[in-house]
Amino acid sequence: MSKVQKAFVSVESANDSSEDGIPLHKADDALLKKLGYKSEFKREFSMLETISFSLAILAVSCGITTGYGYPLLAGGHFAMIWGWTIPCLFVLCIAASMAELASAMPTSAGLYYFSAKMASEKHSALASWITGWSNITGQVTLVCSIDYTCAEFITTGIAMITDGEIVLGPGPTFGILLAIFLVQAVLCSAGTRVLARMTVVIMLIIMGTTIAAIVSLLVCSRGNGVTPKQAFTEFENHTGWSNDGWAFILAFTSPMWSLTGYDSAAHIAEETAGAARAAPIAIMVGVVGTEVLGLIYYIAASFATTSIPDIIDSKLALPMGQVYLNILGKKGTMALWWALGFLQASIYRFLMFGQNSGWIFLQFLCGSSQVVDASRVVFAFSRDNALPGSRWWKQVNRRTQTPVNAVWFVMFLSAICGLLSFSAAAFDSLASASVIGLYISYVYPTLMRITYGKDKFVPGPFNLGRWSRPCGAIAVAWTVFMVVMLLFPNTQTANAQTINYAFVIIIVVFLFASLSWIFSARHWFTGPVPNIDGPSRSDSASYEEKQNNMEQYSGE
């Protein structure tokens, strides 16, 4: 049996109370100490909760509902199905490479720690700096993108209820966005136990909303929708690009945006029991589950899309809302869009808004999960003194034992990004910027792994074996291609209203990080900094032997 297979034999094994006779949390802390850090969090994420956290951030039903507009323009029915399927195959390589690294080095520092350890000694600090800044850029912009979509769910719901009489503009939408930020900041400042339990609820809601949407679209489109041949093969180019092949490639934006955030399992590794196994399994289950459900959802959406020009011309903020109106009618759409009755009372109190939306709540919780993820990245990067004001962002609240300051810092940065919403073109580019930032940080450690680190990498329980380098090479090549693609506008003759500002957003961060490195950080930043001053209380003569055996996980 291969090591990869062994890692998946039993999900329950990661939640055992002991490992080779040693309490699991002590084994985790010993491994963390080998990586150079002392344990500062409670390990209250179980295997199930870690998987749920990964699925909560990926949130397939929200990702498809909001990303539907990309394939709609870039190829219609054909792009909805095949524009999702093709990228998913390559993303699997990226996820598997990340899972292998997360298994070897389970720490909240995550990706930038992996880069530092896999790079050459000379370039270790620079590799860590590049990865860290790329990841934080992607994390913060993704928080803003998800939460703005939540605000659009609300505005779309209002427009549908009023038959288009009330269409809220940028100002009110931004106000809703700020309210979402405020509530999430309070929620995400809670203790680890609360956050862990919350993720399971989100996962159940994700499954419920996704299945409900798929069944509703497939059943109600029978006799009213398109034929199977149209659903799978009909191509319509509404992008403004004359080349149909390039137009189709632009549809890849949807899966690339939806399949982001699965590094979250690595970033909560210090809060996870059995992290060396739980983190990689959560990454793979999250990605595979989202890809499969996403494909089925897009198939259902393709059958239900009867007129692509009509959907494009819809005044609703989210085109998928128009699909539901066309197929289910107003009452049916409201039942789905504002469904999940057991959530109605709590959402009513939260939004003070008529009948209430399970999907709004799901999008809100998806954003909340992303805030937790982003705050852990900020905490870890600040722990190594890499951010301005690091001494504040790396503080752990004594009462909740979570990085509360980092949570509020993430929300502040996200609110600044939210100002871009007053320009539709600029804010639409935020999604591309988040994908670019995240995927650069995803594959840079893999690039180091298959080059400088190919001889010094020591695997953990999840290991790709001889497939590690081919898988890593595919991951790097695909990401380079996608980064270039995501910088292009949706139309061949771009202007101020249609240009892709992702390049501007990325270059601003790149210049700041580069100038900071050249004039300052290269003189003092050394990469991940061990914060262990002396032996911990868990050290004992009998325990040291076990710690030595765990050195295989550290990758050092």
Side-chain angles (χ1 to χ4, degrees), residues 111-125:
L111 303 170
Y112 81 86
Y113 185 95
F114 306 158
S115 290
K117 296 304 178 182
M118 292 295 99
S120 65
E121 185 176 351
K122 180 180 179 180
H123 299 107
S124 175

Side-chain angles (χ1 to χ4, degrees), residues 316-494:
L316 298 179
L318 297 175
M320 184 66 85
Q322 190 63 51
V323 174
Y324 286 120
L325 283 175
N326 292 349
I327 293 296
L328 307 179
K330 184 176 179 180
K331 290 183 178 180
T333 299
M334 292 300 101
L336 186 61
W337 200 268
W338 308 93
L340 297 179
F342 73 93
L343 292 171
Q344 288 183 3
S346 60
I347 305 304
Y348 181 82
R349 295 187 187 98
F350 170 60
L351 294 176
M352 298 299 290
F353 175 62
Q355 297 187 33
N356 306 294
S357 171
W359 275 358
I360 290 176
F361 189 61
L362 176 57
Q363 188 74 9
F364 172 79
L365 292 180
C366 171
S368 299
S369 299
Q370 179 57 37
V371 172
V372 174
D373 185 14
S375 67
R376 274 36 174 190
V377 176
V378 168
F379 161 79
F381 210 35
S382 299
R383 183 169 58 183
D384 295 319
N385 303 311
L387 290 177
S390 287
R391 66 191 181 96
W392 291 299
W393 319 135
K394 66 182 177 182
Q395 292 180 10
V396 177
N397 185 277
R398 293 181 179 179
R399 182 170 174 270
T400 65
Q401 289 191 269
T402 55
V404 173
N405 291 356
V407 169
W408 286 87
F409 183 55
V410 167
M411 302 317 301
F412 173 74
L413 295 177
S414 299
I416 293 177
C417 290
L419 292 172
L420 294 174
S421 63
F422 287 93
S423 167
F427 194 81
D428 287 344
S429 303
L430 202 64
S432 294
S434 66
V435 175
I436 291 171
L438 285 173
Y439 270 87
I440 289 176
S441 69
Y442 287 0
V443 302
Y444 199 80
T446 301
L447 176 62
M448 296 297 102
R449 158 77 178 89
I450 63 177
T451 52
Y452 296 109
K454 62 181 183 296
D455 295 323
K456 61 179 180 177
F457 177 72
V458 181
F462 182 94
N463 178 24
L464 297 176
R466 62 191 179 92
W467 296 103
S468 181
R469 294 186 68 186
C471 188
I474 293 172
V476 172
W478 175 256
T479 300
V480 171
F481 174 65
M482 279 293 96
V483 167
V484 174
M485 184 277 288
L486 288 166
L487 293 174
F488 277 80
N490 287 328
T491 179
Q492 197 165 345
T493 55

Side-chain angles (χ1 to χ4, degrees), residues 65 87 99 130 164 183 208 293 307 315 332 341 380 420 437 455 501 503 537 556:
T65 302
I130 292 172
V183 177
L293 283 173
S307 174
K315 294 182 180 180
L420 294 174
D455 295 323
Y501 288 93
F503 177 79
R537 290 180 298 174
E556 296 180 325

